Amino acid sequence: MVETPKGGLFVPEPEVRPGGQPDFSKVKIPRAGSVERPPVDVDPRDIREMAFSIIRVLNRDGEAVGPWAGTLSDEELLEGLKHMMTLRAFDARMQMAQRQGKTSFYMQHMGEEAVSCAFRRAMEPGDMNFPTYRQAGLLIAGDYPMVDMMNQIYSNEADPLKGRQLPIMYSAKDHGFFSISGNLGTQFIQAVGWAMASAIKNDSRIAAGWIGDGSTAESDFHAALVFASTYRAPVVLNIVNNQWAISTFQGIARGGAGTFAARGLGFGLPALRVDGNDYLAVHAVAKWAVERARMGLGATLVEYVTYRVGAHSTSDDPSAYRPKTESDSWPLGDPVIRLKNHLIRRGVWTDDRHKQAEAEVLDGVISAQKEAEKHGTLHAGGRPSARDMFEGVYAEMPPHLRRQRQQAGV
Amino acid sequence: MPRMTMIEAIRDAMDVSMGRDENVVVFGEDVGYFGGVFRCTAGLQQKYGTSRCFDAPISELGIVGTAIGMAAYGLKPCVEIQFADYVYPAYDQIVSEAARIRYRSAGQFTCPIVIRMPTGGGIFGGQTHSQSPEALFTHVSGLKVVVPSNPQDAKGLLISAIEDPDPVIFLEPKRLYNGPFDGHHDRPVTPWSKHELGDVAADHVTVPLGKAVTRREGSAVTILAYGTMVHVALAATEDTGIDAEVIDLRTLLPLDLDAIVASVKKTGRCVVVHEATMTSGFGAELVSLVQEHCFYHLEAPVARVAGWDTPYPHAQEWDYFPGPARLSEALRGVMEA
């Protein structure tokens, strides 16, 4: 029964606001291992219910269970753990660097490390990601030099983007990482176009699009689903549902009405939901969707269910709109701790080695930071030339820009 | 040389480009099997297959967004927006993405796409089949904006646009598709087959972007025009007997400032004409540049003739359209000043 409507406009509200007791009782969490793994050539019509469940591999005891388990070796998982720890340490240092005035802006991945780190392991050289600003794990797990990430964040003289871009809007073509845009959702449809191009050329390379829960409300999301489905594009369309779009809870993007994954059903796309804090599950689902795309079977929509533990950005204070301790109550836990516990349970990792690894990872990040700071930070040391500001608007500088550059005296 | 309409010249440009470069792909609404609502892509799907020329869902942002992704991959998409009036849903993709990808990625990714769109009025198209949105694109760093006025240029400019490494907005005055139109709507329209600019070279031919052309040499006043207004300018010159120099800009961004300045310095007078609405239209940029670069040579204020600052009406087509009468009046005014 639907409640009798009261007067006025209905506006969804999160269950809890600051000062309240965090409550995720409405998030239905299926048992690990309970969701079946269909063949990649499954008819999307036969797996519609998967859009309403959550694929999970790691159980409460840290065991890998069910049909989605076993896609990665212990060595690969240890490497994955290191990637996530590196991203977390990187985040912490860059967050601090922003507070110290070394850069203007930063955005963390806290709690979402598994999504981009594990997904990257399912991609192959030549494939292309179209990321948002919260998938730096694609670079970390893809062995992109951390110093170059920092140079970009510092807009220093070694910034690969020559100081033109806001911090964290990386671009790394050789690492399958498309240029990040500040405009939300735009890259989701571009990923589909890239994949269509690959199909046009009879290529086996695939693309992956990325979008957050909030940005699914953008028109680009809708367009991407239509085009991906119409042309059976070899693309994996990833929705990272971290429950929050700055201060607006996912219900404002109409989360809670079905699921975000379920939006793919109306377009005839196979739609999977996965535990975004379960490194093994993310990898297994990514591998499934990537394989499907590479075999020419078409696009897959994947919703990663996770939680944005950190502030939206260094310009945001989440205690103004959600309980301070909400992330502690998140039922899917912490991706780093869950993978760590799994590896300990497997007998290939220990608490001591984890502590040691944390120290090593931090050392690596700090030495990269020192290296980057030799090239300058936003307000000190080396900086990109003002001449660079006029370059690259076009392949060749047109006369009016040459005149302006002369006027600027550079 | 074969005689072509503007439609045939545009189709030929795509045909030649697709034949020469297998990375050129053509798509848009009704562009594939049917060959386009204006027939500009007729036969291309049959000749090059559905992977090279295909129909798209009715989503302008989807068409431009996928084209950008294809360009990032390495293709050269030449896409169609059915009417310039319907480009707005793709505006974010054009302004925030296509125009900036080279710059923001420091050249790692580029966007060699062409976005073709029929533009302009004079066809009783009403509010949403008549607009001239060029100023919305000339204001965007990173785009090139082209408006041909005849079949010869249409083919050469379109091939240049497709081969250009940067995103090009290619505005096709639909009023000129079948024949030149000088704004004398009460007189019979001649087809391109009776016009020398309907002579279009076969095979590969280019007209450089960023270069204006003088359509009529004169000494009394310079008329800066593009698209349909080039023909209106020639008519007004004839109607008034004023010895005007008519410059067809062809490319609005980047602009051929040298050609403009040379002409205005010679004539000392200038009239700018466009169909688009007056306020903040491209004419304002032209007037500003002329006064900046030709101030000491000007013998009269620079005049602007443009569409009124209203949405494009239906019944009042010829009260709105800046035809030869309004331009003639402006020319006389400038000559008397």
Side-chain angles (χ1 to χ4, degrees):
Chain A
M1 274 258 294
V2 175
E3 257 178 76
T4 312
K6 288 181 231 129
L9 180 70
F10 174 76
V11 180
E13 268 293 311
E15 297 284 325
V16 193
R17 285 297 194 184
Q21 200 55 39
D23 178 13
F24 287 110
S25 56
K26 284 193 179 165
V27 182
K28 276 187 247 158
I29 313 287
R31 241 175 345 99
S34 64
V35 178
E36 62 167 327
R37 183 186 186 282
V40 291
D41 61 352
V42 68
D43 186 330
R45 284 172 298 191
D46 296 338
I47 55 164
R48 292 173 68 88
E49 75 285 353
M50 291 185 81
F52 301 94
S53 190
I54 301 180
I55 296 163
R56 306 178 67 228
V57 171
L58 293 175
N59 67 15
R60 278 164 190 250
D61 299 324
E63 294 164 325
V65 295
W68 295 87
T71 58
L72 291 166
S73 67
D74 287 339
E75 290 70 31
E76 288 168 323
L77 289 174
L78 284 166
E79 213 180 341
L81 181 65
K82 194 182 157 203
H83 290 150
M84 290 200 288
M85 292 167 76
T86 304
L87 178 55
R88 190 166 287 187
F90 180 89
D91 271 350
R93 294 297 297 187
M94 290 297 99
Q95 176 88 4
M96 201 191 306
Q98 191 275 338
R99 296 301 188 223
Q100 293 166 336
K102 292 174 179 174
T103 183
S104 62
F105 183 73
Y106 191 70
M107 295 177 109
Q108 295 190 81
H109 303 75
M110 181 80 83
E112 299 176 38
E113 292 90 344
V115 177
S116 53
C117 287
F119 188 89
R120 179 63 182 80
R121 298 302 299 265
M123 299 281 271
E124 282 176 17
D127 294 340
M128 186 63 70
N129 277 287
F130 286 75
T132 76
Y133 46 67
R134 225 187 290 280
Q135 277 88 44
L138 296 170
L139 292 173
I140 300 270
D143 293 325
Y144 183 77
M146 205 188 299
V147 178
D148 285 341
M149 294 171 76
M150 290 168 170
N151 288 335
Q152 197 281 325
I153 289 166
Y154 288 145
S155 286
N156 61 23
E157 67 189 9
D159 175 1
L161 306 183
K162 304 182 179 186
R164 295 173 189 160
Q165 263 285 37
L166 192 70
I168 72 157
M169 303 282 183
Y170 315 105
S171 179
K173 187 178 187 181
D174 295 342
H175 285 71
F177 190 98
F178 185 71
S179 155
I180 295 179
S181 168
N183 296 66
L184 297 180
T186 50
Q187 78 291 338
F188 214 53
I189 180 73
Q190 292 163 8
V192 176
W194 197 98
M196 288 168 66
S198 181
I200 286 168
K201 301 303 281 184
N202 285 313
D203 191 353
S204 62
R205 292 184 288 161
I206 65 134
W210 294 86
I211 204 165
D213 48 284
S215 302
T216 60
E218 294 279 9
S219 314
D220 309 58
F221 174 75
H222 191 276
L225 266 51
V226 179
F227 279 69
S229 181
T230 298
Y231 300 110
R232 213 176 284 178
V235 63
V236 183
L237 294 170
N238 296 312
I239 307 165
V240 183
N241 176 8
N242 68 14
Q243 317 299 318
W244 290 95
I246 308 186
S247 74
T248 47
F249 88 117
Q250 52 137 325
I252 294 291
R254 202 56 179 114
T259 62
F260 289 106
R263 270 148 230 202
L265 299 181
F267 295 90
L269 294 172
L272 309 184
R273 277 182 108 217
V274 55
D275 178 347
N277 292 13
D278 180 340
Y279 186 94
L280 282 74
V282 170
H283 181 267
V285 168
K287 188 169 178 281
W288 188 92
V290 165
E291 196 179 324
R292 193 182 144 75
R294 208 174 308 280
M295 287 175 68
L297 297 165
T300 305
L301 188 67
V302 183
E303 176 185 352
Y304 302 87
V305 183
T306 184
Y307 183 85
R308 194 196 79 210
V309 175
H312 166 70
S313 73
T314 49
S315 310
D316 175 47
D317 172 16
S319 69
Y321 50 81
R322 69 185 191 189
K324 274 186 176 159
T325 56
E326 192 176 77
S327 63
D328 300 337
S329 310
W330 175 243
L332 296 175
D334 178 288
V336 176
I337 293 170
R338 284 175 66 192
L339 182 55
K340 173 192 157 195
N341 289 343
H342 171 64
L343 291 166
I344 290 173
R345 175 136 197 142
R346 301 265 311 151
V348 296
W349 200 238
T350 63
D351 268 318
D352 284 347
R353 284 171 75 182
H354 191 80
K355 279 201 192 79
Q356 196 189 335
E358 271 179 336
E360 283 166 13
V361 160
L362 185 59
D363 275 353
V365 174
I366 289 172
S367 72
Q369 193 177 4
K370 282 183 182 151
E371 179 66 29
E373 290 182 10
K374 279 186 203 160
H375 298 292
T377 58
L378 181 59
H379 299 296
R383 52 186 302 190
S385 109
R387 238 181 123 80
D388 277 333
M389 180 168 69
F390 294 96
E391 301 282 346
V393 181
Y394 298 91
E396 263 181 67
M397 191 176 291
H400 69 285
L401 271 179
R402 276 206 301 279
R403 281 195 299 275
Q404 289 175 22
R405 191 180 66 188
Q406 280 160 9
Q407 260 183 311
V410 294
Chain B
M1 280 201 282
R3 283 258 155 141
M4 295 185 194
T5 65
M6 201 143 145
I7 290 166
E8 288 163 341
I10 287 163
R11 180 173 59 209
D12 198 42
M14 285 185 273
D15 190 353
V16 166
S17 300
M18 292 174 88
R20 285 167 62 93
D21 183 351
E22 59 182 22
N23 287 325
V24 176
V25 293
V26 169
F27 63 100
E29 296 155 18
D30 302 295
V31 159
Y33 182 86
F34 179 58
V37 294
F38 290 106
R39 315 310 301 152
C40 288
T41 56
L44 295 179
Q45 183 175 80
Q46 202 173 17
K47 186 166 177 185
Y48 296 100
T50 48
S51 283
R52 301 280 307 280
C53 177
F54 53 91
D55 290 316
I58 303 176
S59 168
E60 287 76 16
L61 96 78
I63 291 167
V64 176
T66 51
I68 291 168
M70 289 179 195
Y73 176 95
L75 299 190
K76 292 179 87 65
C78 177
V79 300
E80 178 180 304
I81 301 294
Q82 203 159 78
F83 286 88
D85 315 61
Y86 301 132
V87 72
Y88 310 120
Y91 200 57
D92 187 31
Q93 286 287 344
I94 296 171
V95 176
S96 312
E97 304 292 320
R100 295 190 196 161
I101 280 171
R102 176 189 295 279
Y103 190 73
R104 75 174 195 230
S105 73
Q108 288 178 7
F109 297 95
T110 60
C111 193
I113 66 173
V114 178
I115 307 173
R116 292 178 41 242
M117 57 190 99
T119 187
I123 56 145
F124 282 95
Q127 294 189 22
T128 56
H129 299 81
S130 309
Q131 296 167 34
S132 299
E134 59 271 16
L136 298 176
F137 299 109
T138 54
H139 190 57
V140 180
S141 312
L143 297 180
K144 293 182 178 175
V145 180
V146 176
V147 193
S149 67
N150 60 78
Q152 235 176 50
D153 278 357
K155 179 172 174 183
L157 288 167
L158 183 52
I159 291 177
S160 291
I162 290 169
E163 292 173 359
D164 196 89
D166 293 309
V168 181
I169 305 294
F170 197 85
L171 294 152
E172 301 167 1
K174 60 182 118 35
R175 177 69 237 206
L176 302 180
Y177 268 158
N178 290 304
F181 178 69
D182 64 9
H184 285 298
H185 53 91
D186 46 348
R187 298 179 195 165
V189 176
T190 51
W192 282 114
S193 60
K194 299 212 169 89
H195 195 286
E196 58 179 7
L197 292 171
D199 280 340
V200 180
D203 303 324
H204 186 258
V205 62
T206 58
V207 170
L209 303 187
K211 291 281 173 227
V213 65
T214 305
R215 292 286 166 215
R216 181 191 189 281
E217 289 196 15
S219 58
V221 54
T222 299
I223 305 177
L224 301 180
Y226 51 91
T228 307
M229 289 300 126
V230 171
H231 305 280
V232 172
L234 293 169
T237 302
E238 198 151 304
D239 293 354
T240 55
I242 293 169
D243 184 27
E245 180 145 296
V246 177
I247 309 262
D248 179 352
L249 297 173
R250 301 199 288 199
T251 302
L252 307 188
L253 183 67
L255 185 67
D256 190 351
L257 184 61
D258 292 346
I260 295 169
V261 170
S263 176
V264 177
K265 280 187 174 174
K266 181 178 76 175
T267 61
R269 291 178 162 86
C270 182
V271 176
V272 171
V273 57
H274 58 59
E275 285 184 71
T277 49
M278 175 83 83
T279 301
S280 300
F282 189 65
E285 182 64 27
L286 292 172
V287 171
S288 177
L289 286 168
V290 167
Q291 80 81 27
E292 183 185 338
H293 293 271
C294 310
F295 186 76
Y296 296 106
H297 292 80
L298 284 174
E299 291 170 41
V302 182
R304 268 193 294 173
V305 178
W308 307 118
D309 284 336
T310 70
Y312 206 112
H314 185 246
Q316 302 92 334
E317 176 84 83
W318 305 118
D319 300 303
Y320 181 93
F321 185 90
R326 273 174 60 201
L327 182 53
S328 297
E329 192 186 328
L331 286 172
R332 288 189 201 100
V334 165
M335 292 314 297
E336 281 160 17

